[in-house]
Amino acid sequence: GMCKTCDAPKPSRAHHCSVCGRCVLRMDHHCPFTNCCIGLYNERFFLLWVFLVWAGCVYGAYMSWDPFYVCLVGGFVNGVDSVTPRDLERCTDMGKEVFIFLPTATLLGFMTILFGWHLMLISQDWTTLEFFRFRLAPLIGQPADRPAPETGRGGIVANFRGVLFPHGNPTAAASTRHTL
């Protein structure tokens, strides 16, 4: 079909981004963090970015848990008098590390939900936009403006392979590559 906004040919599963002003193949969403559309050719990089932020949050929460627990939780729960002079000296030395835990743990919770959401969508071969338009909208009484696209590449492994290697099988591509 044709895009109603830019009058260009629009392939199946493409969506016009109002922020970028162009149609994007298999558009998932316009990401405010990266300021670009997440679609067919960069969803794997977005997934990697989400995973790396998640892993950094796991590391930060792990490293800041002990100072947080000893200095804040121990002092508040058991009373300031229960903090030993040795722990008080440790708390003074650790300083800002004590306060890293709460924002890191909060971001970790958000990134866990975001990462899990995208893994679920990829496993079912849906994009965020398709999910909201064709799965969620009918549940709240809003009919979809067109039929749901054909999704599914033949199972979960094939769906992940399609996102991680949108240009085809990497093994086959490597074997057909010409060298100079």
Side-chain angles (χ1 to χ4, degrees):
M2 297 294 285
C3 177
K4 296 175 186 174
T5 308
C6 63
D7 292 327
K10 186 167 137 182
S12 176
R13 300 187 76 185
H15 181 80
H16 186 88
C17 176
S18 60
V19 178
C20 294
R22 63 187 177 100
C23 290
V24 178
L25 291 172
R26 200 176 181 279
M27 181 176 169
D28 188 81
H29 66 284
H30 184 90
C31 182
F33 303 111
T34 59
N35 193 29
C36 68
C37 288
I38 305 302
L40 178 66
Y41 297 114
N42 65 352
E43 187 174 13
R44 60 186 164 164
F45 301 115
F46 174 75
L47 194 64
L48 178 64
W49 177 78
V50 170
F51 171 75
L52 291 174
V53 172
W54 177 86
C57 289
V58 168
Y59 175 75
Y62 174 77
M63 295 302 290
S64 61
W65 169 249
D66 187 51
F68 174 79
Y69 185 78
V70 169
C71 300
L72 289 182
V73 176
F76 280 120
V77 172
N78 302 328
V80 178
D81 298 335
S82 68
V83 178
T84 65
R86 182 177 174 275
D87 285 342
L88 188 58
E89 186 177 323
R90 278 180 57 206
C91 291
T92 306
D93 290 342
M94 289 186 269
K96 296 175 188 167
E97 289 177 36
V98 173
F99 298 103
I100 291 174
F101 179 77
L102 287 177
T104 304
T106 303
L107 186 59
L108 176 61
F110 171 73
M111 295 309 289
T112 300
I113 292 168
L114 185 64
F115 191 53
W117 168 255
H118 280 280
L119 292 178
M120 183 274 301
L121 287 174
I122 292 169
S123 72
Q124 296 180 12
D125 194 27
W126 283 90
T127 66
T128 301
L129 293 173
E130 290 168 348
F131 181 85
F132 283 113
R133 177 176 283 159
F134 302 113
R135 290 269 175 104
L136 188 62
L139 294 177
I140 58 174
Q142 296 178 353
D145 59 348
R146 64 178 190 265
E150 292 292 326
T151 59
R153 296 180 177 101
I156 292 174
V157 173
N159 293 342
F160 274 93
R161 190 176 293 133
V163 168
L164 298 176
F165 308 108
H167 300 289
N169 185 347
T171 309
S175 66
T176 59
R177 198 172 291 141
H178 297 286
T179 56
L180 297 175

